[in-house]
Amino acid sequence: MLLNDGVRIDGRAPGHLRPVTIERGWSKHAEGSVLIAFGDTKVFCTASFTEGVPRWRKGSGEGWVTAEYSMLPRSTNTRGDREAVRGRIGGRTHEISRLIGRSLRAVIDYKALGENTVVLDCDVLQADGGTRTAAITGAYVALADAIGWAQGKKLIKPGRKPLTGTVAAVSVGIVGGVPLLDLCYEEDVTAETDMNVVCTGDGRFVEVQGTAEGQPFAREELDGLLDLAVTGCTELGAAQREALDSTA
Amino acid sequence: MLLNDGVRIDGRAPGHLRPVTIERGWSKHAEGSVLIAFGDTKVFCTASFTEGVPRWRKGSGEGWVTAEYSMLPRSTNTRGDREAVRGRIGGRTHEISRLIGRSLRAVIDYKALGENTVVLDCDVLQADGGTRTAAITGAYVALADAIGWAQGKKLIKPGRKPLTGTVAAVSVGIVGGVPLLDLCYEEDVTAETDMNVVCTGDGRFVEVQGTAEGQPFAREELDGLLDLAVTGCTELGAAQREALDSTA
Amino acid sequence: MLLNDGVRIDGRAPGHLRPVTIERGWSKHAEGSVLIAFGDTKVFCTASFTEGVPRWRKGSGEGWVTAEYSMLPRSTNTRGDREAVRGRIGGRTHEISRLIGRSLRAVIDYKALGENTVVLDCDVLQADGGTRTAAITGAYVALADAIGWAQGKKLIKPGRKPLTGTVAAVSVGIVGGVPLLDLCYEEDVTAETDMNVVCTGDGRFVEVQGTAEGQPFAREELDGLLDLAVTGCTELGAAQREALDSTA
Amino acid sequence: MLLNDGVRIDGRAPGHLRPVTIERGWSKHAEGSVLIAFGDTKVFCTASFTEGVPRWRKGSGEGWVTAEYSMLPRSTNTRGDREAVRGRIGGRTHEISRLIGRSLRAVIDYKALGENTVVLDCDVLQADGGTRTAAITGAYVALADAIGWAQGKKLIKPGRKPLTGTVAAVSVGIVGGVPLLDLCYEEDVTAETDMNVVCTGDGRFVEVQGTAEGQPFAREELDGLLDLAVTGCTELGAAQREALDSTA
Amino acid sequence: MLLNDGVRIDGRAPGHLRPVTIERGWSKHAEGSVLIAFGDTKVFCTASFTEGVPRWRKGSGEGWVTAEYSMLPRSTNTRGDREAVRGRIGGRTHEISRLIGRSLRAVIDYKALGENTVVLDCDVLQADGGTRTAAITGAYVALADAIGWAQGKKLIKPGRKPLTGTVAAVSVGIVGGVPLLDLCYEEDVTAETDMNVVCTGDGRFVEVQGTAEGQPFAREELDGLLDLAVTGCTELGAAQREALDSTA
Amino acid sequence: MLLNDGVRIDGRAPGHLRPVTIERGWSKHAEGSVLIAFGDTKVFCTASFTEGVPRWRKGSGEGWVTAEYSMLPRSTNTRGDREAVRGRIGGRTHEISRLIGRSLRAVIDYKALGENTVVLDCDVLQADGGTRTAAITGAYVALADAIGWAQGKKLIKPGRKPLTGTVAAVSVGIVGGVPLLDLCYEEDVTAETDMNVVCTGDGRFVEVQGTAEGQPFAREELDGLLDLAVTGCTELGAAQREALDSTA
């Protein structure tokens, strides 16, 4: 039984996030780096800032932001093969890498960034549901740090603000008919509907990806999940701000 | 200018689909096959029914449905490299193949299907926006034909109904602030927000995938797009039914 | 029994082609495009004309023509794996792509083409024997259309004729000791000898590829097959001309 | 000038082979092994005999013969990349491997071979034209040795003769209007027409592959080339017999 | 200047290790897991214990131990491409994975392990020289924990001791003519000679890999490096013991 | 029994090399080429000299030397798959290619070589232990010939000596407690310790790679093996000189 009188298996209420921690400065090499935890889900996010852009963008005066996601082989309960060993990246990995990149680009002003590239690497050290949403939320902080670093080095023109807002992400889902915020793994595998929502700090949507795992879902269910997600993202935005305000 | 007094570049009103045609029996080999057109977008969908299931499912008594999507190299305005030549499948192709598979599995009763597998191949012959939604809509019809074929051959137990409903998909998006149904390519590339929605015939949701291409979108915009999408899927459901009711 | 009193399983006489249809203008994007059918074998051929040539040919003043062949997974009786999914192109596909390219280059004057490239894509939608010969025959028509398009756009110098002739191809084989023209799949798999012949419109040879499937074949058998093939190619040349003379 | 009064650049007459040497027993590991030279073209052929057959042939009572061809990177005048390094086998390599396999299978009685497999590896140590024909001619001798070895080990049933004949191959081509036998590299690159012919010892054809490199070729030219090839194969058959009759 | 009066850039004496920390229990999923640091080099090692062995070892009654090494893309000063993205594992990665596996197998009694497999994953989170030696040293502790776990679960027969000893590794090298222990990155790139040494707890050698980066090295230099390495491995053995004696 | 009163299975004393032969000029195409034999181990080494260097080295005024190692599929007792067919290079091949390249670069003065590249290809025709050491020893001779060729062609500045010394390699190992020089295959698979040593002509070390196959080895054993290896390399150096002094 995942829900007992509205109490979840880890004791949370339906609308509560797991404990969120965001540690900055986790790498001595990367321009921005964060170890983010959503409960037992831990993702290591680095932002690599380099001057120059991919060939197809040269001379445009605009920058580029992209992301790569990966799970360590034993980040999950049973060991998975390394994609490097299999020689090809799986569909799920591709999908999530693309989602993270799009989500962060939604708050980037390419002109202000100038012809510079930021690559976000999100490596899951331990997985317990919500790895892609933790990755987006942590990558935003690493990105902000990398941009701050570049401003300090005068690699971005004075007065330009490449970040147009903040972005965070959370999962929501329906378990036993009840809409839940920030699903852990056990909840995720039993959810009837599973949705990942990416929001900006002002409560607008960047991405909405909802999937019926079992039964198709009705419009009211969708509406309930969206409400819950906006609340969650707002809380995560506060955690991001707090992390960025502390001294790294 | 894509919109002129609410009239779209191809003359449609914002809430109108492009002309939809569904031709069944397009292959003499496949158990189900359809050539579907959404305007100038043409997708060839085949359903291959085989007895037996992948190894991980053997002995479960349950069947499996999966899909592969691909674009012919010159289905687009400029020729793209073949993924077979490049030696790897791109992220977008992976993503869409997975989406089609999930969408069709949402209306499948695995027990009723028995230990049989249906593979849907969706090859885009000509692209003009909405290839994934046309693929889902056409693949449903090919799937229904393949299941009918298997029932005729007694490969499915008498009285079992592997299909629990119908499924169709459509794209919606905001162009110049106006929500539009079933975007053609030119609209798609300029849309501020782009959403693909997969619905069952009774108006419930199987997948909702919305992306802010430029500005993040507000809740009311999202609501407007969802309304439009449900309307579109309902119309497509009628076209599917009509095609299936005709003699192949 | 494939042959009954010299009548073939589909009712043809030994020296008869299957019904041939050539539909031009099948793609709104490609500079030349054809759907060709040899009986139940259907191949979709597109010709993509682009200015410029591969790096190794730059500055030569000469153009380039190349081809890629592929079968849709369910073009055959049982579904085959996609080569993109397997991550490598098989030997047969390679062989046929190279054959198509060589065959068309045999009627190209590279100087007259100028530094332009034409890529022929031949995708088999439905296979019933003779896919490579149908591909060559159809690709010639698509190539001619693409060159006509380029002449209209002044991408080829006025007065230059990049096409030095016409080219068509047909299969021949010995079944039950009888030489047959244009084998369908059932004939092909039982043929003792199988030959593909590519001829120009004036009856000269571009490619001759004969293989003993069972017993080695004698010189007189080879001679008989070559006679039959020349006849077949001449008829196909007439069909090509007719298609090109009609309004696309 | 490749031809001077009918004398070729290496002093041969048009209908003469280059010096052919066939050294057996070149490997202490392989069941059959040959170093064959056609002039400066040197190919190392090994025949690996193993009990058992590929899965798709198990239980048939029939054996299998297959071949792999490869060029050492510096077998040619300028170094080529290794296909293992590029991670994929090129079309030409695929094509030739398949040709060698088919040619040898033409003289194999699968039933007599029993459920055993012979793999022929043909590695070009030095290339000077005609590598595929030298490979076929040498591989036949290695195959005969491997079968002899297996008969000695009683791995083939007493009295069964897996080899139904002998097979050899030679290239022919038209250079400066003159049909030539066994082209060296310099002749090969300038030939107007290039043909590889595989014959059995009794002068029948196993494979005929002719290609117009420049102008299409006429029927009489084709006839002349076939005559020349049969003569060449007959001489090669004598060289094979002589090698096999000597003590390895 | 890397050395100033025998003092190294980070203040160490030539024969000193960097600070070593070994944190056990870093993953909630893996049967054994360790975060090991050699100064700024940080490697995350997990040991995955599974019942059963690879096919080639089935029925032998013996177990198997193997390892995979990888660097996160931004573990280094400038970002490296992911091997999964490139689609192939580089030579250096292969080499180190094999070294780690061999080193750990040197202290394994396969019979005592029984038909079980342990896979060690060593992922470099931050690199500053000596990643392979830190990986071996940390992987040993993770392996010991996984074996302890399996003994607790009775997956190993009572009384059997799969570990026959302990194993640790360290790098040594000659910089400016002075032999140094445990090189950091800056020392590593300027070393004239670079050696990785793997020792058991009793001071015997498992692997010795020395490479002249500039000048070849003399026998006395080799002897001096080996002395230093044995000292270093003994100290690391003590750190391993201490970590294992503490409560995870 | 591999050792009988100190006599090895092939009759050698523990400190003896197998018969070594070095044939130069084995390829008409390569700038340097050698067929080297260490007993039954035969490796074909070619050195390809080309003007220019890889991109990352352009403008440095320095040259580059690299190597690729490969085994023919039937160079071993049972046939191995081709790496080109598997589509990826195995770890062992990578490791040995890198070792050969490093070993030869140890005696190269890049400045004296100028912006030229030498690629060494070492293809094992027959394997009986020690293929990598034979490859290094033979490749040195091929490299010397290629450099001599380039000096003759004035592709290297007059008076510059790109070779700073000579390099050879040999394997040593402990079998039945006895240190042996230059192990053949049967000795190699039973050795308790296995070491490959690369030395310059003046007895200094370029590479030392020792591995405990069974028990870890003690310092005195290591010392004894190193003594033996230096002796072996000195003898090989003499064989190299003799080969180079003869007329190719």
Side-chain angles (χ1 to χ4, degrees):
Chain A
M1 264 293 266
L2 285 176
L3 281 165
N4 203 338
D5 284 327
V7 178
R8 296 157 74 175
I9 47 161
D10 54 7
R12 282 187 286 161
H16 281 190
L17 294 173
R18 289 174 287 178
V20 174
T21 61
I22 300 177
E23 298 176 45
R24 287 160 66 209
W26 227 70
S27 156
K28 78 168 205 178
H29 296 304
E31 286 71 36
S33 65
V34 157
L35 182 68
I36 189 166
F38 278 19
D40 279 335
T41 288
K42 294 181 190 172
V43 185
F44 181 33
C45 308
T46 58
S48 297
F49 187 102
T50 47
E51 296 179 70
V53 283
R55 203 167 23 175
W56 50 271
R57 216 171 170 86
K58 273 190 183 141
S60 66
E62 303 196 339
W64 187 240
V65 171
T66 185
E68 291 184 7
Y69 165 96
S70 184
M71 298 183 87
L72 290 200
R74 194 55 199 279
S75 58
T76 44
N77 192 41
T78 55
R79 185 177 183 274
D81 286 344
R82 280 175 197 271
E83 294 184 321
V85 169
R86 269 189 278 138
R88 55 180 72 189
I89 289 182
R92 179 184 173 277
T93 297
H94 255 141
E95 218 171 284
I96 299 178
S97 294
R98 287 157 55 90
L99 170 65
I100 300 171
R102 278 199 314 271
S103 297
L104 294 172
R105 287 194 293 271
V107 293
I108 283 288
D109 175 341
Y110 295 132
K111 280 281 177 210
L113 180 54
E115 287 205 11
N116 297 297
T117 298
V118 187
V119 180
L120 282 312
D121 284 292
C122 301
D123 287 90
V124 178
L125 303 186
Q126 189 170 279
D128 186 30
T131 61
R132 79 189 70 187
T133 53
I136 292 167
T137 306
Y140 170 76
V141 177
L143 174 61
D145 269 339
I147 285 173
W149 174 91
Q151 287 169 325
K153 294 275 182 192
K154 312 283 185 225
L155 298 172
I156 289 172
K157 288 202 191 130
R160 309 304 297 264
K161 290 194 189 318
L163 281 174
T164 62
T166 73
V167 73
V170 77
S171 72
V172 286
I174 300 176
V175 177
V178 181
L180 303 182
L181 179 65
D182 185 25
L183 280 61
C184 67
Y185 180 73
E186 275 184 273
E187 292 170 342
D188 190 56
V189 292
T190 53
E192 292 112 52
T193 294
D194 185 17
M195 189 175 309
N196 290 291
V197 178
V198 185
C199 285
T200 51
D202 58 2
R204 286 180 303 154
F205 297 92
V206 168
E207 282 271 344
V208 173
Q209 295 197 341
T211 301
E213 299 292 344
Q215 288 297 306
F217 50 95
R219 180 63 179 269
E220 314 84 71
E221 291 175 305
L222 174 53
D223 288 341
L225 290 172
L226 289 168
D227 292 343
L228 211 50
V230 171
T231 315
C233 284
T234 307
E235 279 185 59
L236 290 168
Q240 289 173 323
R241 254 189 319 277
E242 191 182 332
L244 285 166
D245 288 348
S246 70
T247 328
Chain B
M1 263 295 264
L2 285 176
L3 281 165
N4 204 338
D5 285 326
V7 178
R8 296 158 73 175
I9 48 160
D10 54 7
R12 281 186 286 161
H16 281 188
L17 294 173
R18 289 174 286 179
V20 174
T21 61
I22 301 177
E23 297 176 45
R24 288 161 66 208
W26 227 69
S27 156
K28 77 168 205 178
H29 297 304
E31 286 73 35
S33 64
V34 156
L35 182 69
I36 188 165
F38 278 19
D40 279 335
T41 288
K42 293 180 190 172
V43 185
F44 181 33
C45 309
T46 59
S48 297
F49 186 102
T50 47
E51 296 179 71
V53 282
R55 203 167 23 174
W56 52 270
R57 216 170 171 86
K58 273 190 183 142
S60 66
E62 302 194 340
W64 186 239
V65 172
T66 186
E68 292 185 6
Y69 165 96
S70 184
M71 297 182 87
L72 290 200
R74 193 57 199 278
S75 57
T76 44
N77 193 39
T78 55
R79 187 179 181 272
D81 286 343
R82 279 176 197 270
E83 294 185 320
V85 170
R86 271 189 276 138
R88 54 180 73 191
I89 288 182
R92 179 184 173 276
T93 298
H94 255 142
E95 220 171 282
I96 298 178
S97 293
R98 287 156 55 88
L99 170 65
I100 300 170
R102 278 199 313 273
S103 297
L104 293 171
R105 288 193 293 271
V107 292
I108 283 288
D109 174 341
Y110 296 131
K111 281 282 177 209
L113 181 54
E115 288 205 11
N116 296 298
T117 298
V118 186
V119 180
L120 282 313
D121 284 291
C122 300
D123 287 89
V124 178
L125 303 186
Q126 188 169 281
D128 187 29
T131 61
R132 79 190 70 186
T133 54
I136 292 167
T137 307
Y140 170 76
V141 177
L143 173 63
D145 268 340
I147 285 174
W149 174 91
Q151 286 169 325
K153 294 276 183 193
K154 310 283 186 225
L155 298 172
I156 288 172
K157 288 202 192 130
R160 310 303 299 263
K161 289 194 189 317
L163 281 174
T164 62
T166 74
V167 71
V170 79
S171 72
V172 286
I174 300 177
V175 176
V178 181
L180 304 181
L181 180 66
D182 185 25
L183 280 60
C184 68
Y185 180 73
E186 274 184 273
E187 292 170 342
D188 189 56
V189 293
T190 53
E192 294 112 49
T193 293
D194 185 17
M195 189 174 309
N196 290 293
V197 178
V198 185
C199 286
T200 52
D202 58 2
R204 285 181 301 153
F205 297 93
V206 168
E207 283 270 341
V208 173
Q209 296 197 340
T211 301
E213 299 291 344
Q215 288 297 306
F217 50 94
R219 180 64 179 269
E220 314 83 73
E221 291 175 305
L222 174 54
D223 288 340
L225 291 172
L226 290 168
D227 292 343
L228 213 50
V230 170
T231 316
C233 284
T234 307
E235 280 186 59
L236 290 167
Q240 289 173 324
R241 252 189 320 277
E242 191 181 332
L244 285 166
D245 288 348
S246 70
T247 327
Chain C
M1 264 294 266
L2 285 175
L3 282 164
N4 204 338
D5 285 326
V7 178
R8 297 159 72 175
I9 47 161
D10 54 7
R12 281 185 288 159
H16 281 190
L17 295 172
R18 290 174 285 179
V20 174
T21 61
I22 301 178
E23 297 176 45
R24 287 161 67 209
W26 227 70
S27 156
K28 78 168 204 176
H29 297 304
E31 286 72 35
S33 65
V34 157
L35 182 69
I36 188 166
F38 278 19
D40 279 335
T41 289
K42 293 180 190 173
V43 186
F44 181 34
C45 308
T46 58
S48 297
F49 187 102
T50 47
E51 296 179 72
V53 282
R55 204 167 22 175
W56 51 271
R57 216 170 170 87
K58 273 190 183 139
S60 66
E62 302 195 339
W64 187 239
V65 171
T66 186
E68 291 184 7
Y69 165 96
S70 184
M71 298 182 87
L72 290 201
R74 193 57 198 279
S75 58
T76 45
N77 193 39
T78 54
R79 187 179 181 272
D81 286 344
R82 279 176 197 269
E83 294 184 322
V85 169
R86 271 190 276 138
R88 54 180 72 190
I89 288 182
R92 179 183 173 276
T93 298
H94 256 141
E95 220 171 282
I96 298 178
S97 293
R98 286 157 55 89
L99 170 64
I100 300 171
R102 278 199 313 273
S103 298
L104 294 172
R105 288 194 294 271
V107 293
I108 283 289
D109 175 342
Y110 296 133
K111 281 282 176 210
L113 181 54
E115 288 204 12
N116 296 297
T117 298
V118 186
V119 181
L120 281 313
D121 285 291
C122 300
D123 287 90
V124 178
L125 303 186
Q126 189 169 281
D128 186 29
T131 61
R132 78 189 71 186
T133 53
I136 292 167
T137 307
Y140 170 76
V141 177
L143 173 63
D145 268 340
I147 285 173
W149 174 91
Q151 287 169 325
K153 294 276 183 192
K154 311 283 186 224
L155 298 172
I156 288 172
K157 287 198 192 135
R160 310 303 298 263
K161 289 193 189 317
L163 281 174
T164 62
T166 73
V167 71
V170 79
S171 72
V172 286
I174 300 177
V175 176
V178 181
L180 302 182
L181 180 65
D182 186 24
L183 281 59
C184 68
Y185 180 74
E186 275 185 272
E187 292 170 341
D188 190 57
V189 292
T190 54
E192 294 111 51
T193 293
D194 185 17
M195 190 175 309
N196 290 292
V197 178
V198 185
C199 286
T200 51
D202 58 3
R204 285 180 302 152
F205 297 92
V206 168
E207 284 270 343
V208 173
Q209 295 197 340
T211 301
E213 300 292 345
Q215 288 298 306
F217 50 95
R219 180 63 179 269
E220 314 82 71
E221 291 175 306
L222 175 53
D223 287 341
L225 290 172
L226 290 167
D227 292 342
L228 212 49
V230 171
T231 316
C233 285
T234 308
E235 279 186 59
L236 290 168
Q240 290 173 322
R241 252 188 321 275
E242 191 181 332
L244 285 165
D245 289 348
S246 70
T247 326
Chain D
M1 262 297 263
L2 284 176
L3 281 166
N4 203 340
D5 285 326
V7 178
R8 296 157 74 174
I9 48 161
D10 54 8
R12 282 185 287 160
H16 281 189
L17 294 173
R18 288 174 287 180
V20 174
T21 61
I22 301 177
E23 298 176 46
R24 287 160 66 208
W26 227 69
S27 155
K28 77 168 204 176
H29 296 304
E31 287 72 36
S33 64
V34 157
L35 182 69
I36 189 165
F38 278 20
D40 280 335
T41 289
K42 293 180 190 173
V43 185
F44 181 34
C45 308
T46 59
S48 298
F49 186 102
T50 47
E51 296 178 72
V53 283
R55 202 166 25 174
W56 50 271
R57 215 171 171 85
K58 274 191 183 139
S60 66
E62 303 195 340
W64 186 239
V65 171
T66 185
E68 291 184 7
Y69 165 96
S70 184
M71 298 183 87
L72 290 200
R74 194 55 199 280
S75 58
T76 44
N77 192 40
T78 54
R79 186 179 183 274
D81 286 345
R82 279 175 198 271
E83 294 184 321
V85 169
R86 269 190 276 137
R88 55 179 73 190
I89 288 182
R92 180 184 173 276
T93 297
H94 255 142
E95 218 171 283
I96 298 178
S97 293
R98 286 157 55 90
L99 170 65
I100 300 171
R102 277 200 312 272
S103 297
L104 294 171
R105 288 194 294 269
V107 292
I108 283 290
D109 175 341
Y110 295 132
K111 280 282 178 210
L113 180 55
E115 287 205 11
N116 297 296
T117 298
V118 186
V119 180
L120 282 313
D121 284 292
C122 300
D123 286 273
V124 178
L125 304 186
Q126 189 169 279
D128 186 30
T131 61
R132 79 189 71 185
T133 54
I136 291 167
T137 306
Y140 170 76
V141 178
L143 174 63
D145 268 340
I147 285 173
W149 175 90
Q151 287 168 324
K153 295 274 183 195
K154 313 283 186 224
L155 298 172
I156 289 172
K157 288 201 192 132
R160 310 303 297 265
K161 290 193 189 317
L163 281 174
T164 62
T166 73
V167 72
V170 77
S171 72
V172 286
I174 299 177
V175 176
V178 181
L180 303 182
L181 179 65
D182 186 25
L183 280 60
C184 68
Y185 180 73
E186 274 184 272
E187 293 170 341
D188 190 57
V189 292
T190 54
E192 293 111 52
T193 293
D194 184 18
M195 189 175 308
N196 291 293
V197 178
V198 185
C199 285
T200 51
D202 58 1
R204 285 181 301 154
F205 297 93
V206 168
E207 282 271 342
V208 173
Q209 295 197 340
T211 301
E213 299 291 344
Q215 287 298 307
F217 50 94
R219 180 63 180 268
E220 313 84 72
E221 291 176 305
L222 174 54
D223 287 341
L225 290 172
L226 289 168
D227 292 342
L228 212 49
V230 170
T231 315
C233 285
T234 307
E235 279 186 59
L236 290 168
Q240 288 173 325
R241 254 189 318 278
E242 191 181 331
L244 284 166
D245 288 349
S246 71
T247 327
Chain E
M1 265 294 266
L2 285 176
L3 280 165
N4 203 338
D5 286 326
V7 177
R8 297 158 74 174
I9 47 161
D10 54 8
R12 282 186 287 160
H16 281 189
L17 296 172
R18 289 174 286 181
V20 174
T21 60
I22 301 177
E23 298 177 44
R24 288 159 66 208
W26 227 69
S27 156
K28 78 169 204 176
H29 297 305
E31 287 72 35
S33 65
V34 156
L35 181 70
I36 189 166
F38 280 18
D40 279 336
T41 289
K42 293 181 190 172
V43 185
F44 181 33
C45 308
T46 58
S48 297
F49 187 102
T50 47
E51 296 179 72
V53 283
R55 202 166 25 173
W56 50 272
R57 216 171 170 86
K58 272 189 185 144
S60 67
E62 304 194 339
W64 186 239
V65 172
T66 186
E68 291 185 7
Y69 165 96
S70 184
M71 298 182 86
L72 291 200
R74 194 55 199 279
S75 58
T76 45
N77 193 39
T78 53
R79 186 177 182 275
D81 285 344
R82 280 175 198 271
E83 293 184 321
V85 170
R86 270 189 275 138
R88 53 180 74 189
I89 288 183
R92 179 184 173 275
T93 297
H94 255 141
E95 219 171 282
I96 298 178
S97 294
R98 285 157 56 90
L99 170 65
I100 300 171
R102 279 199 313 272
S103 297
L104 293 172
R105 288 193 293 271
V107 294
I108 283 289
D109 176 340
Y110 295 132
K111 281 282 177 210
L113 181 55
E115 288 205 10
N116 296 298
T117 297
V118 187
V119 180
L120 281 314
D121 285 291
C122 300
D123 286 90
V124 178
L125 303 186
Q126 189 170 280
D128 187 29
T131 60
R132 79 189 72 185
T133 54
I136 291 168
T137 306
Y140 170 76
V141 177
L143 174 62
D145 268 340
I147 286 174
W149 175 89
Q151 287 169 324
K153 294 276 184 193
K154 312 282 185 225
L155 298 172
I156 289 171
K157 288 200 191 132
R160 309 305 296 264
K161 289 192 189 319
L163 281 173
T164 63
T166 73
V167 72
V170 78
S171 72
V172 286
I174 300 177
V175 176
V178 180
L180 303 182
L181 180 65
D182 186 24
L183 281 59
C184 69
Y185 180 73
E186 275 185 272
E187 293 170 341
D188 190 57
V189 292
T190 55
E192 293 112 49
T193 294
D194 185 17
M195 189 174 306
N196 290 293
V197 179
V198 185
C199 286
T200 51
D202 59 2
R204 285 182 301 155
F205 296 92
V206 168
E207 283 271 343
V208 173
Q209 296 197 340
T211 301
E213 300 291 344
Q215 288 297 307
F217 50 95
R219 180 62 180 270
E220 313 84 71
E221 292 177 304
L222 173 54
D223 287 341
L225 290 173
L226 290 168
D227 292 342
L228 212 50
V230 171
T231 314
C233 283
T234 307
E235 279 186 59
L236 290 168
Q240 289 173 323
R241 254 190 317 279
E242 192 181 330
L244 285 166
D245 288 349
S246 69
T247 328
Chain F
M1 262 297 263
L2 285 176
L3 281 166
N4 203 339
D5 285 327
V7 178
R8 295 157 74 173
I9 48 161
D10 53 7
R12 282 186 287 160
H16 280 189
L17 294 173
R18 290 175 285 180
V20 175
T21 60
I22 301 177
E23 298 177 45
R24 289 159 65 207
W26 228 69
S27 156
K28 78 169 205 177
H29 297 305
E31 287 72 34
S33 65
V34 157
L35 182 69
I36 189 165
F38 279 19
D40 280 336
T41 289
K42 293 181 190 172
V43 186
F44 181 35
C45 308
T46 58
S48 298
F49 187 101
T50 47
E51 296 179 72
V53 283
R55 202 167 26 175
W56 51 271
R57 215 170 171 87
K58 273 190 184 141
S60 67
E62 303 194 340
W64 186 239
V65 172
T66 185
E68 290 184 8
Y69 165 96
S70 183
M71 298 182 87
L72 291 200
R74 194 54 199 280
S75 58
T76 45
N77 193 40
T78 53
R79 186 176 182 276
D81 285 345
R82 281 176 196 270
E83 293 184 322
V85 170
R86 270 189 277 138
R88 55 180 73 189
I89 289 183
R92 179 183 173 277
T93 297
H94 255 141
E95 219 171 283
I96 299 178
S97 293
R98 286 157 55 90
L99 171 64
I100 300 171
R102 277 199 314 272
S103 297
L104 293 172
R105 288 194 293 271
V107 293
I108 283 289
D109 176 341
Y110 295 131
K111 281 281 177 210
L113 181 54
E115 287 204 12
N116 296 298
T117 297
V118 187
V119 180
L120 281 313
D121 284 291
C122 300
D123 286 272
V124 178
L125 303 186
Q126 188 169 279
D128 186 29
T131 60
R132 78 189 72 186
T133 54
I136 292 167
T137 306
Y140 170 76
V141 177
L143 174 62
D145 268 340
I147 286 174
W149 175 89
Q151 287 169 325
K153 294 276 183 192
K154 312 283 186 225
L155 298 173
I156 288 172
K157 288 201 192 131
R160 308 305 297 265
K161 290 194 189 318
L163 281 174
T164 63
T166 73
V167 72
V170 78
S171 72
V172 286
I174 299 177
V175 176
V178 181
L180 303 181
L181 180 65
D182 186 24
L183 280 59
C184 69
Y185 180 74
E186 275 185 271
E187 292 171 341
D188 190 57
V189 291
T190 55
E192 294 112 50
T193 293
D194 185 19
M195 189 174 308
N196 291 293
V197 178
V198 185
C199 285
T200 52
D202 58 2
R204 285 181 301 154
F205 297 92
V206 168
E207 282 271 343
V208 173
Q209 295 198 341
T211 301
E213 299 292 344
Q215 288 298 307
F217 51 95
R219 180 63 179 269
E220 313 84 71
E221 292 176 305
L222 173 54
D223 287 342
L225 290 173
L226 290 168
D227 292 343
L228 212 49
V230 170
T231 315
C233 284
T234 308
E235 278 185 60
L236 291 168
Q240 289 173 323
R241 254 190 318 278
E242 191 181 331
L244 285 166
D245 288 348
S246 69
T247 327

